[in-house]
Amino acid sequence: MSLPPFDSNELERRILDAVRRGASMEDIAGLRPGRMSTPEDAIQALKDGNARFFSGHATRPEADANQRRALIMGQTPFATVLACSDSRVPVEIVFDQGLGDLFVVRVAGNVVGEGVLGSLEYATEHLNVHLIVVMGHEGCGAVAAALLSPEQLAQEPENLRHLITRIQPCVQSLPPIRDKKARMREAVLNNVRHQVAALREQPVIQAAEASGRIRVIGAFYEIGSGAVDFLTEEEDLRP
């Protein structure tokens, strides 16, 4: 069942009243509600937000000065998203979420590395997120680079080559697909599946998922339509 729309006007009124009363920063921060209590709630909130975005009914919940003040004392994101750095993939906009709703980690190819893992562990252990989403996207340049020949790849800068080599194992056993767009989509999806699998092997995240505190899922963002396909079933997530 979909969650009821968040009443940002009501929150603004409550914060403004608190400001006028001379409330402390801690009191104001406490006015911001925590709406998600389970991984399923978090998934549904992202699905609902993306539906608003791609259908042209986004609420664009930017925070005004008083609402920003409510965030000073801390953050309570309900989900973390590991996404690509691609400028065409603005995560909060795609999911129609506001300040403080998502903990976003972005790196080319949405690759799990040491820095990324540390950020995701922080979100899991200290921010109590309910969900980790690894999101690839249509036309990912990093995944396309992983499909290059060794000779072509050798021409890239050293650190970029290191990043690409983390993706290569994900795309080496692709089935023969003649349609280039379909082949690229499958390569991106398989990279998402492999990165999800890598996350699930990490002790902190593995323990949190085993206890039911979080779920780790995948997603694919189609730039042209604005729609996100969610990979939530084990069969869909299997590399």
Side-chain angles (χ1 to χ4, degrees):
M1 183 176 66
S2 299
L3 292 169
F6 178 64
D7 191 344
S8 59
N9 291 330
E10 174 62 17
L11 175 61
E12 182 179 353
R13 185 191 64 76
R14 291 164 59 197
I15 293 175
L16 187 56
D17 287 346
V19 170
R20 288 169 175 163
R21 294 195 309 269
S24 68
M25 291 292 186
E26 187 173 0
D27 290 337
I28 292 172
L31 293 174
R32 184 176 174 84
R35 301 177 64 233
M36 314 304 162
S37 58
T38 69
E40 288 66 34
D41 286 347
I43 293 171
Q44 192 60 55
L46 293 183
K47 287 182 176 181
D48 290 346
N50 179 244
R52 294 192 299 271
F53 169 71
F54 77 73
S55 66
H57 296 92
T59 59
R60 302 194 181 281
E62 296 102 353
D64 65 13
N66 289 323
Q67 292 185 44
R68 289 196 299 272
R69 192 176 184 187
L71 294 168
I72 291 175
M73 295 301 295
Q75 57 174 320
T76 55
F78 66 85
T80 186
V81 181
L82 169 57
C84 184
S85 299
D86 195 296
S87 62
R88 300 165 295 175
V89 189
V91 177
E92 288 88 350
I93 294 175
V94 166
F95 290 115
D96 197 32
Q97 300 299 321
L99 300 180
D101 291 332
L102 301 178
F103 186 86
V104 180
V105 181
R106 297 180 67 175
V107 62
N110 40 272
V111 173
V112 175
E114 185 175 306
V116 166
L117 184 58
S119 296
L120 297 182
E121 288 178 341
Y122 173 75
T124 301
E125 290 293 282
H126 298 287
L127 300 181
N128 298 316
V129 296
H130 301 297
L131 182 69
I132 296 177
V133 184
V134 179
M135 187 170 75
H137 68 92
E138 179 181 16
C140 180
V143 174
L147 296 168
L148 294 175
S149 67
E151 294 75 20
Q152 292 172 305
L153 189 58
Q155 299 175 25
E156 298 294 344
E158 179 183 3
N159 290 309
L160 178 55
R161 290 201 308 272
H162 289 324
L163 186 148
I164 293 169
T165 57
R166 290 179 177 269
I167 302 174
Q168 283 181 316
C170 312
V171 300
Q172 286 176 342
S173 300
L174 285 176
I177 303 173
R178 295 183 64 180
D179 184 274
K180 290 183 179 180
K181 184 175 180 180
R183 185 169 186 263
M184 187 63 191
R185 177 186 173 95
E186 188 57 34
V188 170
L189 284 170
N190 215 37
N191 180 47
V192 167
R193 295 180 183 114
H194 276 267
Q195 304 307 328
V196 168
L199 281 179
R200 285 176 150 179
E201 292 175 357
Q202 303 302 320
V204 170
I205 293 171
Q206 188 179 72
E209 189 169 36
S211 70
R213 285 199 292 122
I214 68 166
R215 283 185 65 184
V216 183
I217 66 171
F220 177 87
Y221 174 55
E222 191 172 75
I223 293 173
S225 70
V228 174
D229 291 332
F230 289 83
L231 284 66
T232 59
E233 304 300 324
E234 291 303 313
E235 183 177 352
D236 296 331
L237 290 168
R238 189 175 302 115

mmCIF file of all heavy atoms in Angstrom, residues 82-119:
data_model
loop_
_atom_site.group_PDB
_atom_site.id
_atom_site.type_symbol
_atom_site.label_atom_id
_atom_site.label_comp_id
_atom_site.label_asym_id
_atom_site.label_seq_id
_atom_site.Cartn_x
_atom_site.Cartn_y
_atom_site.Cartn_z
ATOM 1 N N LEU A 82 23.526 3.830 -3.950
ATOM 2 C CA LEU A 82 24.820 3.823 -4.622
ATOM 3 C C LEU A 82 24.535 3.954 -6.115
ATOM 4 O O LEU A 82 23.975 3.051 -6.731
ATOM 5 C CB LEU A 82 25.581 2.530 -4.329
ATOM 6 C CG LEU A 82 26.841 2.278 -5.181
ATOM 7 C CD1 LEU A 82 27.838 3.425 -5.064
ATOM 8 C CD2 LEU A 82 27.486 0.946 -4.808
ATOM 9 N N ALA A 83 24.887 5.107 -6.675
ATOM 10 C CA ALA A 83 24.569 5.399 -8.068
ATOM 11 C C ALA A 83 25.823 5.820 -8.815
ATOM 12 O O ALA A 83 26.879 6.061 -8.231
ATOM 13 C CB ALA A 83 23.508 6.499 -8.145
ATOM 14 N N CYS A 84 25.684 5.924 -10.121
ATOM 15 C CA CYS A 84 26.777 6.376 -10.971
ATOM 16 C C CYS A 84 26.933 7.890 -10.841
ATOM 17 O O CYS A 84 25.974 8.611 -10.560
ATOM 18 C CB CYS A 84 26.493 5.986 -12.416
ATOM 19 S SG CYS A 84 27.829 6.400 -13.572
ATOM 20 N N SER A 85 28.137 8.385 -11.110
ATOM 21 C CA SER A 85 28.402 9.825 -11.054
ATOM 22 C C SER A 85 27.832 10.574 -12.246
ATOM 23 O O SER A 85 27.882 11.812 -12.268
ATOM 24 C CB SER A 85 29.914 10.075 -10.996
ATOM 25 O OG SER A 85 30.480 9.500 -9.850
ATOM 26 N N ASP A 86 27.312 9.873 -13.222
ATOM 27 C CA ASP A 86 26.803 10.475 -14.454
ATOM 28 C C ASP A 86 25.879 11.656 -14.153
ATOM 29 O O ASP A 86 24.960 11.552 -13.340
ATOM 30 C CB ASP A 86 26.040 9.411 -15.255
ATOM 31 C CG ASP A 86 25.785 9.827 -16.692
ATOM 32 O OD1 ASP A 86 25.059 10.821 -16.891
ATOM 33 O OD2 ASP A 86 26.281 9.148 -17.607
ATOM 34 N N SER A 87 26.116 12.777 -14.830
ATOM 35 C CA SER A 87 25.350 14.001 -14.568
ATOM 36 C C SER A 87 23.881 13.873 -14.949
ATOM 37 O O SER A 87 23.054 14.701 -14.548
ATOM 38 C CB SER A 87 25.966 15.180 -15.336
ATOM 39 O OG SER A 87 25.904 14.947 -16.739
ATOM 40 N N ARG A 88 23.530 12.832 -15.701
ATOM 41 C CA ARG A 88 22.139 12.626 -16.129
ATOM 42 C C ARG A 88 21.339 11.810 -15.120
ATOM 43 O O ARG A 88 20.189 11.475 -15.381
ATOM 44 C CB ARG A 88 22.112 11.937 -17.494
ATOM 45 C CG ARG A 88 22.804 12.708 -18.602
ATOM 46 C CD ARG A 88 23.048 11.829 -19.809
ATOM 47 N NE ARG A 88 23.981 10.744 -19.512
ATOM 48 C CZ ARG A 88 24.290 9.763 -20.366
ATOM 49 N NH1 ARG A 88 23.722 9.735 -21.566
ATOM 50 N NH2 ARG A 88 25.142 8.830 -20.013
ATOM 51 N N VAL A 89 21.966 11.501 -13.973
ATOM 52 C CA VAL A 89 21.318 10.639 -12.981
ATOM 53 C C VAL A 89 21.240 11.359 -11.630
ATOM 54 O O VAL A 89 21.919 10.978 -10.670
ATOM 55 C CB VAL A 89 22.078 9.296 -12.839
ATOM 56 C CG1 VAL A 89 21.290 8.314 -11.987
ATOM 57 C CG2 VAL A 89 22.372 8.687 -14.203
ATOM 58 N N PRO A 90 20.439 12.409 -11.527
ATOM 59 C CA PRO A 90 20.301 13.146 -10.262
ATOM 60 C C PRO A 90 19.376 12.385 -9.307
ATOM 61 O O PRO A 90 18.152 12.441 -9.427
ATOM 62 C CB PRO A 90 19.685 14.475 -10.704
ATOM 63 C CG PRO A 90 18.879 14.120 -11.921
ATOM 64 C CD PRO A 90 19.602 12.991 -12.599
ATOM 65 N N VAL A 91 19.940 11.685 -8.371
ATOM 66 C CA VAL A 91 19.203 10.678 -7.604
ATOM 67 C C VAL A 91 17.986 11.241 -6.875
ATOM 68 O O VAL A 91 16.875 10.701 -6.973
ATOM 69 C CB VAL A 91 20.154 9.978 -6.600
ATOM 70 C CG1 VAL A 91 19.381 8.979 -5.745
ATOM 71 C CG2 VAL A 91 21.263 9.258 -7.357
ATOM 72 N N GLU A 92 18.172 12.327 -6.102
ATOM 73 C CA GLU A 92 17.037 12.875 -5.354
ATOM 74 C C GLU A 92 15.906 13.315 -6.268
ATOM 75 O O GLU A 92 14.725 13.168 -5.942
ATOM 76 C CB GLU A 92 17.487 14.048 -4.478
ATOM 77 C CG GLU A 92 18.323 13.651 -3.269
ATOM 78 C CD GLU A 92 19.805 13.577 -3.567
ATOM 79 O OE1 GLU A 92 20.174 13.650 -4.770
ATOM 80 O OE2 GLU A 92 20.595 13.439 -2.623
ATOM 81 N N ILE A 93 16.255 13.858 -7.430
ATOM 82 C CA ILE A 93 15.227 14.302 -8.373
ATOM 83 C C ILE A 93 14.496 13.110 -8.969
ATOM 84 O O ILE A 93 13.263 13.107 -9.087
ATOM 85 C CB ILE A 93 15.861 15.171 -9.479
ATOM 86 C CG1 ILE A 93 16.402 16.472 -8.876
ATOM 87 C CG2 ILE A 93 14.841 15.477 -10.577
ATOM 88 C CD1 ILE A 93 17.155 17.338 -9.868
ATOM 89 N N VAL A 94 15.243 12.081 -9.344
ATOM 90 C CA VAL A 94 14.659 10.881 -9.951
ATOM 91 C C VAL A 94 13.640 10.231 -9.021
ATOM 92 O O VAL A 94 12.609 9.706 -9.467
ATOM 93 C CB VAL A 94 15.771 9.884 -10.325
ATOM 94 C CG1 VAL A 94 15.198 8.498 -10.628
ATOM 95 C CG2 VAL A 94 16.573 10.396 -11.512
ATOM 96 N N PHE A 95 13.915 10.285 -7.704
ATOM 97 C CA PHE A 95 13.008 9.673 -6.734
ATOM 98 C C PHE A 95 12.106 10.701 -6.050
ATOM 99 O O PHE A 95 11.394 10.355 -5.108
ATOM 100 C CB PHE A 95 13.804 8.890 -5.685
ATOM 101 C CG PHE A 95 14.445 7.641 -6.233
ATOM 102 C CD1 PHE A 95 15.830 7.523 -6.294
ATOM 103 C CD2 PHE A 95 13.671 6.598 -6.710
ATOM 104 C CE1 PHE A 95 16.432 6.376 -6.804
ATOM 105 C CE2 PHE A 95 14.254 5.451 -7.220
ATOM 106 C CZ PHE A 95 15.647 5.337 -7.269
ATOM 107 N N ASP A 96 12.153 11.953 -6.496
ATOM 108 C CA ASP A 96 11.309 13.018 -5.957
ATOM 109 C C ASP A 96 11.395 13.086 -4.431
ATOM 110 O O ASP A 96 10.384 13.100 -3.730
ATOM 111 C CB ASP A 96 9.849 12.828 -6.395
ATOM 112 C CG ASP A 96 9.018 14.093 -6.210
ATOM 113 O OD1 ASP A 96 9.576 15.191 -6.338
ATOM 114 O OD2 ASP A 96 7.811 13.978 -5.922
ATOM 115 N N GLN A 97 12.631 13.134 -3.929
ATOM 116 C CA GLN A 97 12.878 13.196 -2.494
ATOM 117 C C GLN A 97 13.566 14.508 -2.148
ATOM 118 O O GLN A 97 14.224 15.130 -2.991
ATOM 119 C CB GLN A 97 13.731 12.015 -2.034
ATOM 120 C CG GLN A 97 13.106 10.653 -2.304
ATOM 121 C CD GLN A 97 11.781 10.448 -1.584
ATOM 122 O OE1 GLN A 97 11.627 10.865 -0.431
ATOM 123 N NE2 GLN A 97 10.829 9.806 -2.255
ATOM 124 N N GLY A 98 13.437 14.924 -0.891
ATOM 125 C CA GLY A 98 13.977 16.202 -0.461
ATOM 126 C C GLY A 98 15.258 16.082 0.343
ATOM 127 O O GLY A 98 15.837 14.997 0.489
ATOM 128 N N LEU A 99 15.687 17.216 0.898
ATOM 129 C CA LEU A 99 16.891 17.247 1.730
ATOM 130 C C LEU A 99 16.715 16.320 2.929
ATOM 131 O O LEU A 99 15.689 16.338 3.594
ATOM 132 C CB LEU A 99 17.164 18.670 2.215
ATOM 133 C CG LEU A 99 17.384 19.733 1.135
ATOM 134 C CD1 LEU A 99 17.632 21.084 1.789
ATOM 135 C CD2 LEU A 99 18.527 19.359 0.222
ATOM 136 N N GLY A 100 17.743 15.518 3.186
ATOM 137 C CA GLY A 100 17.716 14.647 4.354
ATOM 138 C C GLY A 100 17.010 13.322 4.162
ATOM 139 O O GLY A 100 16.966 12.512 5.087
ATOM 140 N N ASP A 101 16.446 13.067 2.965
ATOM 141 C CA ASP A 101 15.698 11.824 2.757
ATOM 142 C C ASP A 101 16.575 10.668 2.314
ATOM 143 O O ASP A 101 16.318 9.514 2.670
ATOM 144 C CB ASP A 101 14.599 12.030 1.709
ATOM 145 C CG ASP A 101 13.481 12.924 2.202
ATOM 146 O OD1 ASP A 101 13.255 12.950 3.432
ATOM 147 O OD2 ASP A 101 12.844 13.601 1.381
ATOM 148 N N LEU A 102 17.601 10.962 1.502
ATOM 149 C CA LEU A 102 18.445 9.909 0.938
ATOM 150 C C LEU A 102 19.916 10.174 1.255
ATOM 151 O O LEU A 102 20.374 11.309 1.208
ATOM 152 C CB LEU A 102 18.273 9.822 -0.584
ATOM 153 C CG LEU A 102 16.876 9.529 -1.111
ATOM 154 C CD1 LEU A 102 16.882 9.526 -2.633
ATOM 155 C CD2 LEU A 102 16.354 8.204 -0.570
ATOM 156 N N PHE A 103 20.627 9.102 1.554
ATOM 157 C CA PHE A 103 22.081 9.157 1.718
ATOM 158 C C PHE A 103 22.657 8.611 0.413
ATOM 159 O O PHE A 103 22.542 7.423 0.129
ATOM 160 C CB PHE A 103 22.508 8.303 2.916
ATOM 161 C CG PHE A 103 23.970 8.402 3.264
ATOM 162 C CD1 PHE A 103 24.427 9.403 4.096
ATOM 163 C CD2 PHE A 103 24.886 7.482 2.765
ATOM 164 C CE1 PHE A 103 25.775 9.496 4.442
ATOM 165 C CE2 PHE A 103 26.226 7.563 3.099
ATOM 166 C CZ PHE A 103 26.676 8.572 3.933
ATOM 167 N N VAL A 104 23.237 9.489 -0.397
ATOM 168 C CA VAL A 104 23.620 9.125 -1.755
ATOM 169 C C VAL A 104 25.144 9.020 -1.886
ATOM 170 O O VAL A 104 25.875 9.925 -1.484
ATOM 171 C CB VAL A 104 23.076 10.150 -2.760
ATOM 172 C CG1 VAL A 104 23.479 9.764 -4.182
ATOM 173 C CG2 VAL A 104 21.552 10.239 -2.658
ATOM 174 N N VAL A 105 25.591 7.913 -2.450
ATOM 175 C CA VAL A 105 27.003 7.694 -2.757
ATOM 176 C C VAL A 105 27.101 7.525 -4.270
ATOM 177 O O VAL A 105 26.396 6.691 -4.849
ATOM 178 C CB VAL A 105 27.549 6.434 -2.053
ATOM 179 C CG1 VAL A 105 29.029 6.248 -2.363
ATOM 180 C CG2 VAL A 105 27.315 6.514 -0.548
ATOM 181 N N ARG A 106 27.961 8.325 -4.910
ATOM 182 C CA ARG A 106 28.053 8.266 -6.365
ATOM 183 C C ARG A 106 29.492 8.067 -6.800
ATOM 184 O O ARG A 106 30.406 8.759 -6.335
ATOM 185 C CB ARG A 106 27.473 9.537 -6.991
ATOM 186 C CG ARG A 106 25.996 9.715 -6.712
ATOM 187 C CD ARG A 106 25.421 10.969 -7.328
ATOM 188 N NE ARG A 106 25.425 10.912 -8.800
ATOM 189 C CZ ARG A 106 24.878 11.854 -9.571
ATOM 190 N NH1 ARG A 106 24.291 12.899 -9.028
ATOM 191 N NH2 ARG A 106 24.924 11.735 -10.880
ATOM 192 N N VAL A 107 29.682 7.107 -7.691
ATOM 193 C CA VAL A 107 30.990 6.839 -8.283
ATOM 194 C C VAL A 107 30.739 6.256 -9.669
ATOM 195 O O VAL A 107 29.723 5.581 -9.884
ATOM 196 C CB VAL A 107 31.801 5.857 -7.400
ATOM 197 C CG1 VAL A 107 31.100 4.508 -7.292
ATOM 198 C CG2 VAL A 107 33.215 5.674 -7.933
ATOM 199 N N ALA A 108 31.617 6.543 -10.600
ATOM 200 C CA ALA A 108 31.430 6.053 -11.964
ATOM 201 C C ALA A 108 31.221 4.540 -11.965
ATOM 202 O O ALA A 108 31.995 3.790 -11.362
ATOM 203 C CB ALA A 108 32.642 6.416 -12.826
ATOM 204 N N GLY A 109 30.155 4.107 -12.624
ATOM 205 C CA GLY A 109 29.864 2.677 -12.708
ATOM 206 C C GLY A 109 29.268 2.086 -11.456
ATOM 207 O O GLY A 109 29.151 0.865 -11.352
ATOM 208 N N ASN A 110 28.865 2.933 -10.489
ATOM 209 C CA ASN A 110 28.315 2.465 -9.203
ATOM 210 C C ASN A 110 29.067 1.247 -8.664
ATOM 211 O O ASN A 110 28.492 0.218 -8.312
ATOM 212 C CB ASN A 110 26.807 2.178 -9.289
ATOM 213 C CG ASN A 110 26.350 1.512 -10.573
ATOM 214 O OD1 ASN A 110 26.049 2.222 -11.536
ATOM 215 N ND2 ASN A 110 26.292 0.195 -10.598
ATOM 216 N N VAL A 111 30.392 1.397 -8.603
ATOM 217 C CA VAL A 111 31.285 0.300 -8.231
ATOM 218 C C VAL A 111 31.543 0.308 -6.727
ATOM 219 O O VAL A 111 31.779 1.359 -6.125
ATOM 220 C CB VAL A 111 32.621 0.418 -8.994
ATOM 221 C CG1 VAL A 111 33.627 -0.611 -8.497
ATOM 222 C CG2 VAL A 111 32.387 0.237 -10.486
ATOM 223 N N VAL A 112 31.519 -0.861 -6.122
ATOM 224 C CA VAL A 112 31.815 -1.005 -4.700
ATOM 225 C C VAL A 112 33.323 -1.041 -4.496
ATOM 226 O O VAL A 112 33.992 -1.992 -4.889
ATOM 227 C CB VAL A 112 31.177 -2.286 -4.132
ATOM 228 C CG1 VAL A 112 31.609 -2.483 -2.671
ATOM 229 C CG2 VAL A 112 29.665 -2.222 -4.228
ATOM 230 N N GLY A 113 33.860 0.018 -3.903
ATOM 231 C CA GLY A 113 35.266 0.076 -3.543
ATOM 232 C C GLY A 113 35.387 0.393 -2.059
ATOM 233 O O GLY A 113 34.382 0.481 -1.341
ATOM 234 N N GLU A 114 36.590 0.619 -1.584
ATOM 235 C CA GLU A 114 36.819 0.829 -0.156
ATOM 236 C C GLU A 114 36.088 2.066 0.370
ATOM 237 O O GLU A 114 35.422 2.012 1.408
ATOM 238 C CB GLU A 114 38.322 0.958 0.113
ATOM 239 C CG GLU A 114 38.673 1.066 1.580
ATOM 240 C CD GLU A 114 40.171 1.077 1.800
ATOM 241 O OE1 GLU A 114 40.856 0.152 1.314
ATOM 242 O OE2 GLU A 114 40.660 2.018 2.455
ATOM 243 N N GLY A 115 36.217 3.186 -0.343
ATOM 244 C CA GLY A 115 35.552 4.406 0.107
ATOM 245 C C GLY A 115 34.041 4.288 0.079
ATOM 246 O O GLY A 115 33.345 4.739 0.995
ATOM 247 N N VAL A 116 33.534 3.673 -0.982
ATOM 248 C CA VAL A 116 32.087 3.466 -1.095
ATOM 249 C C VAL A 116 31.597 2.589 0.040
ATOM 250 O O VAL A 116 30.586 2.883 0.689
ATOM 251 C CB VAL A 116 31.744 2.825 -2.458
ATOM 252 C CG1 VAL A 116 30.309 2.292 -2.468
ATOM 253 C CG2 VAL A 116 31.933 3.828 -3.581
ATOM 254 N N LEU A 117 32.307 1.503 0.289
ATOM 255 C CA LEU A 117 31.890 0.575 1.335
ATOM 256 C C LEU A 117 31.885 1.245 2.701
ATOM 257 O O LEU A 117 30.962 1.050 3.505
ATOM 258 C CB LEU A 117 32.802 -0.645 1.352
ATOM 259 C CG LEU A 117 32.418 -1.752 2.330
ATOM 260 C CD1 LEU A 117 31.010 -2.264 2.059
ATOM 261 C CD2 LEU A 117 33.416 -2.900 2.253
ATOM 262 N N GLY A 118 32.886 2.065 2.980
ATOM 263 C CA GLY A 118 32.915 2.785 4.248
ATOM 264 C C GLY A 118 31.702 3.690 4.407
ATOM 265 O O GLY A 118 31.107 3.772 5.489
ATOM 266 N N SER A 119 31.318 4.362 3.320
ATOM 267 C CA SER A 119 30.149 5.241 3.369
ATOM 268 C C SER A 119 28.875 4.441 3.616
ATOM 269 O O SER A 119 28.011 4.849 4.400
ATOM 270 C CB SER A 119 30.028 6.020 2.053
ATOM 271 O OG SER A 119 31.130 6.872 1.868
#
